[in-house]
Each structure stands twice: as structure tokens, then as C-alpha cells.
Amino acid sequence: MTVKMIAVDMDGTFLTSQQDYDREKFKQLYNKMKEQGIRFVVASGNQYYQLKSFFPEIATEISFVAENGAYIVSEGNEIFNGEIDPKTIQKVLQILVNFEEGHIILCGKNSAYVSLNEPDEFVAHGQKYYHRLKKVPDLREVKDDTLFKFALSFPVDQVETVLHQLHVALGDKVIPVSSGHGDVDLIVPGIHKAHGLIKLQELWGVKTEEVAAFGDSGNDLEMLKHAGYSYAMGNGQPEVKAIAKEIISSNDENGVLLKIEELLQN
């Protein structure tokens, strides 16, 4: 059993419900990963600037598949940057007007953007995941950035219905995926976490059967289907548990770190 790349989702997977992780234990495991030549990859729907804040000492050593694969940075170097066509951005914003319960963050390479009309509590929620978040008068006027994702938020009990409605309304312009807790991301077709892992594998010569991946939500499905070793969290969504090769302890029980420890012993 050979693992050369370990990819972890963050919210609901690597991070506990308190938005942290056992830093001392991870430090020991990370040093072992380095000794064994195993690459550590953070694969999340969140913004790169937020993700790297969790790993201040090693942010320039590890890799980030951020924004569900739309922005990839490895060892401080930009590897890939997706983009949604500006006309598609305008069309999607037009369609989203019909989803009255939804709140919108438009995500770009330099920053994420939120309308001045959004309630303060939604903006505060967004700032946890987007450390660069600018308030703008009108999302349709955001021009000077490479835009690659919409991050939407709905009441949790509406998500299943909304996902279906978005699929119908958007066609193949952008793909809606659930990222847990009422959040829905609209991503570029074909650009997801698995696409990000493939880019890094090509860079490093890592085979798919040498990849271990951990996740809990709909935006992890492609990555878990792709990886040679796939692990769903005990707290994961049913469809994620159904496709993973193994279900492990929850994010609040150190599930990821315990499994990594096991993988490093083999």
C-alpha cells in the first residue's frame, strides 16, 4: 500500500466543529509525511487566503486546491486558475434574482465580492471563509478580476430542492454542488477538486492509485471517486459515504488525523 499524496477537505472533514484541528498531532504527522515523500494537499471550496491562514508555518511548502479546484497554488506558486466567461456571469446573476431566499458571494482570484444589500450576518458568515471579501454596490459591475465561482447560501431545508431547480435553470453554464450547511457552490463545468488533484499529480508524477482523499460533502464526490484511497467522514452526507471506499470517525473525533497516522505506518 503506497500513498504519495494526501488530500483533505477542510470544513466538516479536517476541521472540527470549532473550526480548528489538533495542531500538535498534525505537526508530528506532517513531519513523517515529509520524511516519506508524501505530498499534503488542502482541497476545499474555500478561498485560498482563508485556507493558508490555517497553516501559517508551512503554507509555502504545501499545496492548495482552493475554490473547489478553480484556483490551485503549490508551494506558493500559482498552478492553475479557472475562469467563468463574463457573459455567463451576467446570465447567472440574472437567473439568481429568481432565488429570493439565496445570498450570493462572487468569487475571484484577487477577492470575493458581496452586494451592499446583503444582511450583515451573511457578510460576517462569508468573512469566515473569504478573508478577502469586498462589499460592492452591484455584483454585475465587478470587472477587474478573474471570476471563477459563485458561493450561494440557502436555508438548510431548501438545499435539495434548490439544487434541482438550479440544475434546471442553469443548464450546463455552471454546475451547482452542495458544500454543506446550506451552502451551494456554482462551479465551472469540469473544474472540481479531482481536476485539481490531477493537475498536481501531473506536476509530481503521482499515480491515481497513490492518492488518498478525505471528504464529507457533495463537492468532494469527484475527488473521492478519483482517489485510489477514499475516506468519507462519519458525519458525511449519505451520497459521500456511499461512494467512499471507507467510512471513518467524524471530524470531531480526529477522524482524518487518525487515518493518516494509520496510512503512514503501512
Side-chain angles (χ1 to χ4, degrees):
M1 182 176 184
T2 308
V3 172
K4 291 194 177 166
M5 181 198 292
I6 293 174
V8 301
D9 169 54
M10 289 294 278
D11 296 303
T13 301
F14 190 77
L15 298 178
T16 65
S17 303
Q18 280 68 50
Q19 291 286 294
D20 207 351
Y21 62 97
D22 184 336
R23 291 177 187 247
E24 196 47 52
K25 187 172 184 66
F26 174 72
K27 189 178 177 183
Q28 293 164 6
L29 294 174
Y30 177 67
N31 286 332
K32 282 188 187 172
M33 283 185 244
K34 282 209 293 190
E35 282 167 24
Q36 295 182 28
I38 297 169
R39 304 277 187 168
F40 182 71
V41 180
V42 175
S44 168
N46 295 347
Q47 189 182 52
Y48 166 63
Y49 307 103
Q50 185 250 17
L51 295 174
K52 71 175 190 172
S53 75
F54 283 106
F55 303 94
E57 297 90 5
I58 59 168
T60 55
E61 294 181 18
I62 62 175
S63 302
F64 297 89
V65 173
E67 308 278 10
N68 281 329
Y71 191 44
I72 305 171
V73 178
S74 180
E75 297 170 22
N77 300 310
E78 186 180 305
I79 302 297
F80 176 79
N81 192 56
E83 183 171 12
I84 300 176
D85 172 75
K87 284 182 188 165
T88 302
I89 297 275
Q90 298 302 325
K91 282 179 191 164
V92 172
L93 286 170
Q94 217 171 332
I95 289 166
L96 291 176
V97 171
N98 301 317
F99 290 82
E100 290 169 15
E101 296 275 341
H103 302 285
I104 307 169
I105 293 175
L106 182 55
C107 308
K109 178 177 158 182
N110 299 323
S111 183
Y113 305 88
V114 65
S115 166
L116 288 170
N117 300 327
E118 292 285 10
D120 290 343
E121 65 187 83
F122 174 67
V123 176
H125 171 74
Q127 283 166 336
K128 287 183 198 168
Y129 304 100
Y130 298 91
H131 283 194
R132 292 190 186 179
L133 184 63
K134 285 183 188 167
K135 290 184 182 180
V136 293
D138 188 341
L139 291 177
R140 291 171 300 183
E141 298 303 315
V142 176
K143 299 280 197 283
D144 299 325
D145 202 349
T146 303
L147 302 170
F148 41 50
K149 196 187 83 179
F150 290 84
L152 314 179
S153 188
F154 292 92
V156 174
D157 59 348
Q158 291 184 18
V159 168
E160 283 309 310
T161 309
V162 163
L163 276 172
H164 175 69
Q165 290 170 338
L166 285 168
H167 269 294
V168 173
L170 296 165
D172 57 0
K173 292 181 184 68
V174 284
I175 308 296
V177 293
S178 153
S179 50
H181 318 295
D183 295 328
V184 172
D185 286 349
L186 305 181
I187 61 176
V188 181
I191 295 180
H192 39 60
K193 293 183 184 184
H195 175 266
L197 296 192
I198 290 164
K199 289 271 177 202
L200 293 172
Q201 285 174 238
E202 287 168 355
L203 193 65
W204 302 325
V206 173
K207 298 177 187 144
T208 297
E209 58 267 30
E210 297 170 328
V211 176
F214 297 80
D216 74 309
S217 292
N219 62 341
D220 298 313
L221 288 169
E222 291 90 355
M223 173 170 81
L224 295 178
K225 283 176 188 167
H226 171 75
Y229 304 95
S230 55
Y231 303 99
M233 308 309 293
N235 53 287
Q237 295 173 358
E239 66 270 30
V240 178
K241 290 178 175 178
I243 62 109
K245 294 193 171 70
E246 191 179 325
I247 299 166
I248 61 172
S249 308
S250 77
N251 63 321
D252 285 329
E253 297 169 302
N254 248 359
V256 172
L257 296 182
L258 291 171
K259 179 50 72 172
I260 289 176
E261 189 169 42
E262 197 183 299
L263 290 173
L264 295 176
Q265 284 165 359
N266 289 329

